[in-house]
Amino acid sequence: MLDKKNIFQDKERAVLIGLVHKDQTEHQVNEYLDELAFLAETAGATAIKRFTQKLLHPDTRTFIGKGKLEEIKNYIADKNIRVVIFDDELSGAQINNIEKAIEAKTIDRSDLILDIFARRAKTAQAKAQVELAQYQYILPRLRGMWKHLERLGGGIGTRGPGETEIETDRRIVREKISLLKKKLAEIDKQSYTQRKDRGEFIRVALVGYTNVGKSTVMNVLSKRNVFAENKLFATLDTTTSKIVFENTPFLLSDTVGFIRKLPHHLVESFKSTLDEVREADILLHMVDVSHPNYEDQMGVVNKTLQDLDAYNKPIITIFNKMDLYEQNTFDEWLNEDTKKEILEDLKERWQRETNGNAVFISATEKQNIDQLRKKILGKVRELYRIRYPYKSEFFY
Ligand SMILES: Nc1nc2c(ncn2[C@@H]2O[C@H](COP(=O)(O)OP(=O)(O)OP(=O)(O)O)[C@@H](O)[C@H]2O)c(=O)[nH]1
Ligand SMILES: [Mg+2]
């Protein structure tokens, strides 16, 4: 695996940079930067300042304008900051130009997400998938990534590269890519066989934006101990448990979380991990309803499910973290009736939009878990009846 562990020194201070596109508000971009700050924190850096710029189109050479670059350069020189993080994917040339202009390490959103995935990968499959995505990301950026590769200890000298060296590196990277693809194909074959062995059980998969509480719910429903924490992408590998509710068995899987602007190569290389989602009979779409951007996040998840061709399945939408939602929404002076009304409005709206397939819970407070169980059980039984009309052992 590429050693990207030192993308940041511990608790390294960084500044964040975001573009405000013509159809975006400053407010929206700030919420996106909140997420970027959370990503940076997960990767080990502390964001201490944000810069935004309104532009119709990103600058092809430097992504943002000259004046803004100058402003950033002065700020980071003054504060002795050595890393800047962009909320978008940059080309190799852009990275190069920006690093020259501001004399600081320049990291883009994809770089950051890949770095987090690289740290989190535990199994051979996840490691190979991340590594593949990293090399594919690097390939078209070899010139701009020169400094990055140096940092990665990619076997490259300290002076700037000539054309031939870059050609050689390209060849090496391409060879790595094809090796990794072979390795992954091998692992795929094994896991496909394993999945086929699971027989006739209905398969249910937890999907959703990262950090919404999928693993926490998995633990509550399966009484297992899946790793869950308040960081992005705590889960990279799929875990599957056999669960029995009221004598009805089914399989429940916890999967990797989604995020907006997930690097394209990462989605590609995680396709096989996401097979669990594609092959599932029922999806549990988990939402962190306490998040200010939860509706955006639902959109990202729905879009990703469509890309995966996994959208045409029964879906139960689970609105999680209701405890936090109440904490954030209710002012102390609100009377109980008003609180009730607010909750009713929220529930009514989403029941309507999901055709009655919504559940509102708090996984950590164990609120409404019984209702969630009932909802899942109802759908699971419905499918067993359709699929195996003559087999009654599943429902009694
Ligand atoms: N307040 C509150 N916090 C919750 C609730 N459910 C989960 N959390 C917290 O949210 C954080 C993320 O939970 P996870 O279960 O790791 O989320 P996930 O969706 O599996 O995240 P990834 O695997 O990173 O995609 C943890 O700190 C949980 O303790 C809830 O109902 N209320
Ligand atoms: Mg998880």
Side-chain angles (χ1 to χ4, degrees), residues 16 28 41 80 92 165 169 360 365 394:
L16 309 181
Q28 227 172 356
E41 192 189 301
N80 197 21
E165 281 131 313
D169 291 338
F360 302 81
E365 306 305 305
F394 285 129

mmCIF file of all heavy atoms in Angstrom, residues 16 28 41 80 92 165 169 360 365 394:
data_model
loop_
_atom_site.group_PDB
_atom_site.id
_atom_site.type_symbol
_atom_site.label_atom_id
_atom_site.label_comp_id
_atom_site.label_asym_id
_atom_site.label_seq_id
_atom_site.Cartn_x
_atom_site.Cartn_y
_atom_site.Cartn_z
ATOM 1 N N LEU A 16 -8.551 25.917 4.487
ATOM 2 C CA LEU A 16 -9.469 25.291 3.538
ATOM 3 C C LEU A 16 -9.848 26.303 2.458
ATOM 4 O O LEU A 16 -10.002 27.489 2.748
ATOM 5 C CB LEU A 16 -10.738 24.831 4.253
ATOM 6 C CG LEU A 16 -10.560 23.972 5.504
ATOM 7 C CD1 LEU A 16 -11.929 23.599 6.073
ATOM 8 C CD2 LEU A 16 -9.755 22.717 5.182
ATOM 9 N N GLN A 28 -24.247 27.609 1.834
ATOM 10 C CA GLN A 28 -24.095 26.222 1.407
ATOM 11 C C GLN A 28 -22.611 25.835 1.377
ATOM 12 O O GLN A 28 -22.214 24.795 1.890
ATOM 13 C CB GLN A 28 -24.648 26.101 -0.009
ATOM 14 C CG GLN A 28 -25.563 24.937 -0.218
ATOM 15 C CD GLN A 28 -26.202 25.027 -1.596
ATOM 16 O OE1 GLN A 28 -26.007 25.985 -2.345
ATOM 17 N NE2 GLN A 28 -26.965 24.028 -1.940
ATOM 18 N N GLU A 41 -9.876 16.775 9.763
ATOM 19 C CA GLU A 41 -9.672 16.340 11.144
ATOM 20 C C GLU A 41 -9.491 14.826 11.203
ATOM 21 O O GLU A 41 -8.626 14.321 11.909
ATOM 22 C CB GLU A 41 -10.889 16.764 11.951
ATOM 23 C CG GLU A 41 -10.717 16.658 13.440
ATOM 24 C CD GLU A 41 -12.057 16.896 14.117
ATOM 25 O OE1 GLU A 41 -12.636 17.976 13.917
ATOM 26 O OE2 GLU A 41 -12.527 15.984 14.819
ATOM 27 N N ASN A 80 2.643 30.761 9.435
ATOM 28 C CA ASN A 80 3.522 29.598 9.370
ATOM 29 C C ASN A 80 2.755 28.287 9.128
ATOM 30 O O ASN A 80 2.969 27.281 9.807
ATOM 31 C CB ASN A 80 4.342 29.517 10.661
ATOM 32 C CG ASN A 80 5.538 28.607 10.495
ATOM 33 O OD1 ASN A 80 5.972 28.349 9.361
ATOM 34 N ND2 ASN A 80 6.051 28.092 11.592
ATOM 35 N N GLY A 92 -3.240 17.778 -12.095
ATOM 36 C CA GLY A 92 -1.828 17.779 -11.721
ATOM 37 C C GLY A 92 -1.189 19.137 -11.969
ATOM 38 O O GLY A 92 -0.426 19.645 -11.143
ATOM 39 N N GLU A 165 11.911 10.219 -17.107
ATOM 40 C CA GLU A 165 11.613 9.693 -15.776
ATOM 41 C C GLU A 165 10.103 9.588 -15.574
ATOM 42 O O GLU A 165 9.606 8.626 -15.001
ATOM 43 C CB GLU A 165 12.220 10.576 -14.686
ATOM 44 C CG GLU A 165 13.705 10.330 -14.511
ATOM 45 C CD GLU A 165 14.476 11.625 -14.500
ATOM 46 O OE1 GLU A 165 14.195 12.455 -15.398
ATOM 47 O OE2 GLU A 165 15.318 11.788 -13.603
ATOM 48 N N ASP A 169 7.947 6.317 -14.714
ATOM 49 C CA ASP A 169 7.020 6.244 -13.589
ATOM 50 C C ASP A 169 5.625 5.855 -14.055
ATOM 51 O O ASP A 169 4.939 5.081 -13.411
ATOM 52 C CB ASP A 169 6.942 7.591 -12.869
ATOM 53 C CG ASP A 169 8.249 7.888 -12.160
ATOM 54 O OD1 ASP A 169 8.986 6.922 -11.886
ATOM 55 O OD2 ASP A 169 8.518 9.061 -11.883
ATOM 56 N N PHE A 360 -38.399 6.709 12.590
ATOM 57 C CA PHE A 360 -37.635 7.758 13.269
ATOM 58 C C PHE A 360 -37.073 7.187 14.558
ATOM 59 O O PHE A 360 -37.832 6.777 15.434
ATOM 60 C CB PHE A 360 -38.537 8.962 13.538
ATOM 61 C CG PHE A 360 -39.132 9.505 12.268
ATOM 62 C CD1 PHE A 360 -40.258 8.912 11.703
ATOM 63 C CD2 PHE A 360 -38.532 10.569 11.614
ATOM 64 C CE1 PHE A 360 -40.786 9.386 10.513
ATOM 65 C CE2 PHE A 360 -39.053 11.050 10.424
ATOM 66 C CZ PHE A 360 -40.183 10.455 9.862
ATOM 67 N N GLU A 365 -29.710 6.114 21.868
ATOM 68 C CA GLU A 365 -30.657 6.167 22.986
ATOM 69 C C GLU A 365 -31.644 5.006 22.942
ATOM 70 O O GLU A 365 -32.546 4.923 23.777
ATOM 71 C CB GLU A 365 -31.438 7.482 22.977
ATOM 72 C CG GLU A 365 -30.582 8.741 22.952
ATOM 73 C CD GLU A 365 -29.590 8.772 24.089
ATOM 74 O OE1 GLU A 365 -30.024 8.645 25.240
ATOM 75 O OE2 GLU A 365 -28.380 8.898 23.816
ATOM 76 N N PHE A 394 -40.205 -19.981 6.918
ATOM 77 C CA PHE A 394 -39.631 -18.682 7.150
ATOM 78 C C PHE A 394 -40.486 -17.747 7.987
ATOM 79 O O PHE A 394 -40.034 -16.770 8.534
ATOM 80 C CB PHE A 394 -39.346 -17.980 5.820
ATOM 81 C CG PHE A 394 -38.149 -18.524 5.102
ATOM 82 C CD1 PHE A 394 -38.233 -18.898 3.788
ATOM 83 C CD2 PHE A 394 -36.927 -18.646 5.766
ATOM 84 C CE1 PHE A 394 -37.131 -19.396 3.122
ATOM 85 C CE2 PHE A 394 -35.814 -19.133 5.118
ATOM 86 C CZ PHE A 394 -35.903 -19.530 3.787
#
